[in-house]
Amino acid sequence: MSTNDKKRPSGAGPMEIFWTVVPKIPLILKVILLHLLGRSESAQYLDLRSDVTISVLRSMLSPAKSRSVSEVQDMTLRDPGVKGKMWVSTMASQVPPEEGIRDALFAAIDALSGPDQKGAPPLAVPDIVPVEAEWTGYRAAATKDSKPPAIPEEDKYRELVKECTSATTILYLHGGAFYLCDPATHRPLVAKLARLTGGRAYSVRYRLAPQHPFPAALLDALVSYFTLVYPPPGAAHAPVAPADLVLAGDSAGGNLCLALLRVLLELRRQDRKVAWFGAARAVPLPAAAAALSPWVDLVQSMPSLARNGRWDYLPPPRLLSRAHQPPADALWPAGDPPRRHVYVDDAYMLHPLGSLQLGPRRGGGWEGAPPVYVCCGWECLQDEDRYLVSRLAQDGVTVVFEEFQAMPHVFAAMIPHSAEARRCVDGLAGFIKTACRDPKNIQPSYKMIKAKTLEEVDIDVDQLTDFTEADVRDMALHVVSEEQPPLPDVPAKL
């Protein structure tokens, strides 16, 4: 089913971009000078363009005057339009006549709940709604300036499928801290993955927080998965074989990707069938899952959040700090009483479908999962990503882990020109292709990729993390249970 009901605001104009950049000129000049003189630590690892980009991003994401949630959200929802060598066809899932899909999700939430949720107020039950997504594929005959033809969305989809050389399908969940961004912001990355795999991507426009807290986005992800595997009547696409389907996402979308995988695993443990458009459907597993810089630790409790600030552009870890809240507006604070976390109710901040580093070791862990790809840099989320990889490996999952020296959060999207970003996307696309075409050839791999040279160095999986399960839980509980003194801002690294 196509949709044009939701008109996205248009992208920023030239003058808006100009006035955004002008105040950063002194910073840009200083970064350039220190880089050329070899006086900055980053110059050892980064090309000049990447060094400038990361410094400017860091400055923009830690402004002297904070903006309201509504203002920041609106800025990231502007659609620059489709242009270049990509097909984009916007569709929306249908709402099933049954409530089985939502019942299944809450059965998984209940089964994975722990002592932190005991006696907690019940979660708000999200409606099952039509979920938009952008089918994305390669458009070979287009130029870099080509605009899409003025044809119906279904016709765009048919043209997209004609150019696919494989059945590979990527269900992509964009990042943005659960309250920012949109498939439109991630089109270049998603289109590149579609081109390199020869397949297509289904980039989901899930509901954003704080308007729609957990588990609304996760429900949208589950609905999208079932929509692909079991198309509703009248859908433009044929059923996608689970062996051709890979879950993928970055940052918060990486969290959703892995949370969706955890839901699927739990439903299979329950041997649960899902009522879906008149049939009781089994719950299949995808061929694989892939997460770029996944946000694992929702409560920001692990040391690298502060330690690695000099390599990253992410703001200091003060999400739960009452001293550093954005100006109040129509969206935030949210909840009655107001919750502390933008995405999730207070009692569920440590639920294993949100804080993925937590959860039972056996009987509700990652056992039985398909191969998983994880990448990160020397970023603020390094500790939690390394710990997640260690947990996956201990639970018997085949993991391909790549850590890129000196790279920031989701560098594949933020500095796509860099050799490291190209290597990352090529590696991810290769993993996806192998998972769908020859999964037995995926072997566990743990590599550090050196900056500039792209030399690969083996990492001992047993040395990925120094943190025990008890350490990780204690750190998370400490942050949640106490109001911490605000951490010092990390200054721009020059």
Side-chain angles (χ1 to χ4, degrees):
M1 184 175 88
S2 68
T3 178
N4 288 305
D5 294 338
K6 292 168 68 177
K7 301 297 183 183
R8 317 303 296 177
S10 60
M15 289 306 297
E16 186 174 354
I17 295 173
F18 174 79
W19 287 115
T20 299
V21 171
V22 164
K24 308 300 179 186
I25 290 176
L27 170 64
I28 293 170
L29 293 175
K30 190 171 184 178
V31 171
I32 291 172
L33 179 61
L34 292 177
H35 187 101
L36 294 176
L37 292 175
R39 298 288 299 277
S40 62
E41 186 180 16
S42 55
Q44 303 173 48
Y45 302 99
L46 303 177
D47 63 86
L48 177 58
R49 182 176 171 187
S50 296
D51 205 357
V52 170
T53 300
I54 294 166
S55 296
V56 171
L57 280 171
R58 184 185 299 114
S59 176
M60 293 176 66
L61 292 175
S62 298
K65 182 180 179 182
S66 62
R67 300 173 183 264
S68 69
V69 168
S70 296
E71 186 177 4
V72 177
Q73 187 181 84
D74 287 346
M75 289 171 61
T76 68
L77 297 182
R78 297 175 182 178
D79 189 345
V82 177
K83 186 173 73 170
K85 300 176 80 66
M86 69 175 80
W87 285 108
V88 173
S89 171
T90 302
M91 300 283 182
S93 65
Q94 297 182 36
V95 176
E98 312 91 344
E99 297 179 351
I101 193 77
R102 186 174 61 198
D103 294 342
L105 174 59
F106 272 83
I109 292 172
D110 291 344
L112 293 169
S113 292
D116 302 304
Q117 291 78 50
K118 186 176 181 180
L123 284 168
V125 178
D127 292 333
I128 307 172
V129 300
V131 182
E132 279 193 359
E134 293 187 352
W135 279 110
T136 307
Y138 183 53
R139 186 181 171 199
T143 69
K144 64 182 180 66
D145 296 317
S146 293
K147 294 184 177 181
I151 58 177
E153 297 299 309
E154 291 88 346
D155 291 345
K156 292 178 188 176
Y157 176 72
R158 284 188 279 270
E159 294 300 317
L160 180 159
V161 171
K162 288 179 185 177
E163 300 204 42
C164 291
T165 58
S166 80
T168 299
T169 303
I170 305 166
L171 191 163
Y172 197 87
L173 298 158
H174 67 82
F178 298 104
Y179 75 102
L180 304 173
C181 297
D182 181 81
T185 57
H186 286 63
R187 281 180 195 140
L189 174 60
V190 174
K192 190 177 297 183
L193 288 172
R195 174 176 63 83
L196 291 173
T197 59
R200 56 191 172 164
Y202 190 75
S203 187
V204 179
R205 183 166 282 122
Y206 58 83
R207 283 172 284 183
L208 298 178
Q211 304 98 305
H212 304 286
F214 174 86
L218 189 52
L219 176 60
D220 291 349
L222 183 60
V223 165
S224 299
Y225 183 76
F226 266 69
T227 295
L228 292 177
V229 176
Y230 302 115
H237 66 280
V240 178
D244 294 322
L245 181 55
V246 173
L247 311 179
D250 65 279
S251 192
N255 178 297
L256 283 174
C257 160
L258 295 169
L260 174 58
L261 177 59
R262 197 167 226 176
V263 167
L264 299 175
L265 289 168
E266 177 57 35
L267 295 179
R268 288 171 64 84
R269 290 188 191 101
Q270 298 178 13
D271 195 25
R272 190 181 184 94
K273 298 290 195 296
V274 177
W276 177 259
F277 288 96
R281 298 295 192 178
V283 180
L285 288 178
L292 289 74
S293 299
W295 185 13
V296 172
D297 173 20
L298 285 189
V299 298
Q300 299 184 315
S301 65
M302 302 193 80
S304 63
L305 284 152
R307 183 187 69 239
N308 285 356
R310 70 187 192 279
W311 301 111
D312 214 338
Y313 55 81
L314 293 179
R318 56 195 186 197
L319 181 67
L320 301 183
S321 170
R322 293 184 177 92
H324 288 93
Q325 289 297 304
D329 66 356
L331 295 186
W332 188 255
D336 185 19
R339 63 180 185 269
R340 296 173 64 191
H341 200 289
V342 70
Y343 173 59
V344 64
D345 289 349
D346 292 0
Y348 285 81
M349 287 192 287
L350 301 185
H351 192 280
L353 292 177
S355 291
L356 300 173
Q357 80 275 26
L358 305 176
R361 171 62 69 186
R362 291 290 180 262
W366 299 100
E367 298 94 339
V372 175
Y373 173 94
V374 178
C375 76
C376 70
W378 283 1
E379 59 181 281
C380 292
L381 307 190
Q382 182 187 36
D383 283 348
E384 59 203 74
D385 288 351
R386 278 178 157 244
Y387 181 79
L388 171 71
V389 169
S390 177
R391 280 291 302 263
L392 288 166
Q394 290 175 37
D395 283 355
V397 181
T398 299
V399 183
V400 175
F401 175 59
E402 296 186 328
E403 181 178 279
F404 286 75
Q405 188 180 47
M407 288 295 105
H409 186 59
V410 196
F411 60 92
M414 305 311 292
I415 48 173
H417 65 276
S418 68
E420 294 83 1
R422 292 193 297 271
R423 165 62 181 79
C424 177
V425 176
D426 286 344
L428 172 55
F431 170 85
I432 291 171
K433 287 192 292 185
T434 304
C436 293
R437 301 174 191 177
D438 194 10
K440 292 182 180 179
N441 270 346
I442 297 181
Q443 299 298 320
S445 174
Y446 311 90
K447 303 283 187 181
M448 193 267 283
I449 315 298
K450 288 190 175 182
K452 297 185 177 180
T453 67
L454 304 183
E455 177 188 353
E456 298 182 7
V457 179
D458 287 331
I459 300 173
D460 184 349
V461 64
D462 294 327
Q463 302 299 317
L464 273 173
T465 182
D466 294 327
F467 301 114
T468 67
E469 185 176 355
D471 293 335
V472 170
R473 181 161 185 79
D474 287 347
M475 286 188 288
L477 283 170
H478 181 66
V479 170
V480 167
S481 62
E482 296 184 19
E483 175 64 22
Q484 303 301 308
L487 288 162
D489 290 349
V490 179
K493 173 175 61 65
L494 300 176

